[in-house]
Amino acid sequence: MDKQRIRIRYQGVVQGVGFRPHIYRLAKAYKLCGWVNNDPSGVMVEVEGKREDIENFLKASIDKAPVLARIKSVEHSQIEPNGEKEFIIRESAQNAVVSTQVSSDACTCEDCLKELFEPKDRRYRYPFINCTNCGPRFTIIERIPYDRPYTTMKVFRMCAECEAEYHNPLNRRFHAQPNGCAVCGPRLLLLDREGKEVSGDAIKKSVELLRAGKIIAVKSLGGYQFACDALNEGAVRELRARKIREDKPFAVMAENIEAVLRYAEISEKEKEVLLSAERPIVLLKKKLSPTLAESVAPRQKNYGFMLPYTPLHHLLLKESGMILVMTSGNLSDEPIAFVDEEAMARLKGIADYFLTHNRPIYIRCDDSVVRVFEERLYPVRRARGYVPRPLEVQFPEKGSLLAVGGQLKNTFAMTKFGQVILSHHIGDLDNLETLKAFEQGIEHFKQIFEIVPEMVVYDLHPDYLSTQYALSLELPKLGVQHHYAHIAGVMAEHNLSGKVIGVAMDGTGYGTDGRIWGGEFLIADYDGFERKAHLEYVPMPGGEKAIKQAWRMALVWLDKIYGEELWELGIKFLEKIEPGQGELILEASRKGINSPLTSSMGRLFDAVSALINVCQVANYEGQPAIELEMIGDEQAPGYYEFHYQEKDGRIIIKPEPVIEQIVKDLRETQPKEQISAKFHNGVSKMVVWGCERIREETGINEVVLGGGVFQNFWLLGRIKNWLSEKKFRVYVHHQVPTNDGGIALGQAIIGLRRMRDVLSGANEG
Ligand code: ZN
Ligand code: ZN
Ligand code: FE
């Protein structure tokens, strides 16, 4: 007979995205028999029918895959026909050892939006509408397989109508695990600070309160957010005061692209990213007028805009027509609250009201933040929408390991079958709450991806809590230098296997000599690195304190150049420093008391920012450097020159002349906009010089830029352009942040590369 049967295995993001109904519909359309099933490694299908129909089916199954699916591989083989008469969707086996890719949370789809605003629809204004093409995933999944009893939706019993949709393969909600409606699903609640429900329509009432300048804690997908009127300076300032967040910009949410366009410029690519299913916060250039309330993003050139991504957001934004501040629901630097009782307790000093609901969030997940650089994504914080999708990196080593990341902006990574899965943004591991989130996150990922790490990779900094956690595990271990990890991560994204010039411009990272690095030129490949050039070491008086009190770094540089005479320089910077305190700090730094040596570029930016009176004390990480960038006149010409010194084949880059020239310009009362420009230009020239110098010696043409300083777009753009003019090939991150949120990727890649050696070493030892 002409009947044939094949077995097909689809791998990638194919569960929880409507893949089985898609297969079902196609099988029906091509009159094929057989079955489809979710199994440990993806979706398995058997189809039987005419050869031609099978071929068409196979092609259509890939070409017309559901929007949220990402097929990584398709394998098929011929098997014996068995004469089945129909096509069925098999239930996932209850106790199957399942491991496949849990998909990420996706914004409300067009079809659901239509229903949401259609008065005749049974889900009209229902704030939890979703379907197989949209809605919560990662944040509600407790364990695998992705079935309703294993999500936080298990407490809701579907009504007859929802149940019918759920079981109808031709319905958009077939096996949509978070399916529900006003009759049977999660319910919205507006509570006052005391937890008392406010009567009336929760959305309409919330809109009234927001208009009146109130602050509402809104329960979103991955945690609580604070919302208030972004045009009401009083409300925004009040939120800052209560949240104890002095300066760090707030993200805002607008109803649609048109609303964003009133306040910010948007390129085509930025528009695409704003509208993408991930719905990140996108940093966009502010328009000069009109503006949002000044306190939304003080002294910034950008606004962080996002569009609504849950039905609840859509309702709030559409019915208010407002622009809303939509910032993490936390106090200061704590992680965002996501458990209801805890949120009420923690946030009631900040929010006037709570717009909440009874669908639990299983795992906390912040909003993602991205920029667009040269028409491509340039992530700042990778979380909701992107996580836990595996990174697109290719690596032949298939082992499983855990890379614990750094201390600040922590993310961790795990590998399996040659794939790297980067966790959501966990945060700064300096409080108990975040550390708990880090440890629980690791356990959760091990479970949902069924990963049993064979080794652990960590940063060399002995004080990082991630490092201490790694060292406490009973697994073979590998320490990877911080900046090498920054560089290796970029290499992995671009599949670079040869030697590169790695330029790591960073805040702080522990060096192999026990000093704090951060202005580094490395010659690197996956097997190792050589430190070819770096900024000259200077003391950081008070250690960590010198990071917050940027003026200490300025003082140290002045001391290095002028000694005692620095007090006679007559520059404004000195007026703000009490000579007594200044002397004490210098004494400590000269004697090396609690003054670790650093070659950090971040600290040099801090020093310059403080020296020219832009920002003396950081209220958030990187503030002095960010504000130095923001005030600069990008068109201004001129540059400051560094000096270079060669010693034992290594180049020491000396900033003294830069500082001297700045002091001279300050005394001649040059505007700081121009001083900032000359500094940015000077650093850019220095980087180009360094790369050219290393190319002369090594012939290497590939330059990799990594580290937190490259969040500075002006510097990044200038360096990339100038290097390209000199015919270098230049690479930056596009999938993970260039800050410490990305180093787990570099750790993972180097770990995979060394895995066999480390494991065999462990066996011998
Ligand atoms: Zn939908
Ligand atoms: Zn229902
Ligand atoms: Fe770093």
Side-chain angles (χ1 to χ4, degrees), residues 482-483 486 506 508 708 740 743:
H482 188 96
H483 302 102
H486 271 306
D506 203 23
T508 51
D740 286 4
I743 68 167

Side-chain angles (χ1 to χ4, degrees), residues 225-271:
Q225 298 168 317
F226 291 126
C228 73
D229 182 354
L231 290 169
N232 181 336
E233 175 64 18
V236 182
R237 206 178 290 172
E238 183 62 26
L239 177 56
R240 281 205 180 277
R242 291 190 200 168
K243 209 168 129 68
I244 318 180
R245 176 148 146 172
E246 292 97 338
D247 298 309
K248 199 174 174 189
F250 285 147
V252 288
M253 185 180 273
E255 185 190 346
N256 50 33
I257 292 285
E258 290 66 41
V260 180
L261 265 173
R262 283 205 293 275
Y263 301 97
E265 292 171 20
I266 312 177
S267 71
E268 273 308 304
K269 180 67 188 180
E270 285 164 342
K271 182 175 159 187

Side-chain angles (χ1 to χ4, degrees), residues 33 53 65 99 133 154 187 205 216 299 302 340 345 401 419 484 499 573 598 641 645 677 690 714 718 724 755:
C33 302
D53 289 335
S99 166
N133 297 322
K154 65 188 170 201
R187 194 170 86 85
K205 192 77 203 169
I216 302 186
R299 296 182 294 284
N302 307 305
D340 299 326
L401 58 75
Q419 295 193 331
Y484 179 36
K499 278 197 185 337
F573 162 75
T598 186
E641 219 165 330
Q645 195 178 54
W714 181 12
R718 196 142 290 188
S724 303
M755 193 161 193

Side-chain angles (χ1 to χ4, degrees), residues 122 159 162 180-181 184:
R122 73 184 192 92
C159 66
C162 287
C181 71
C184 66

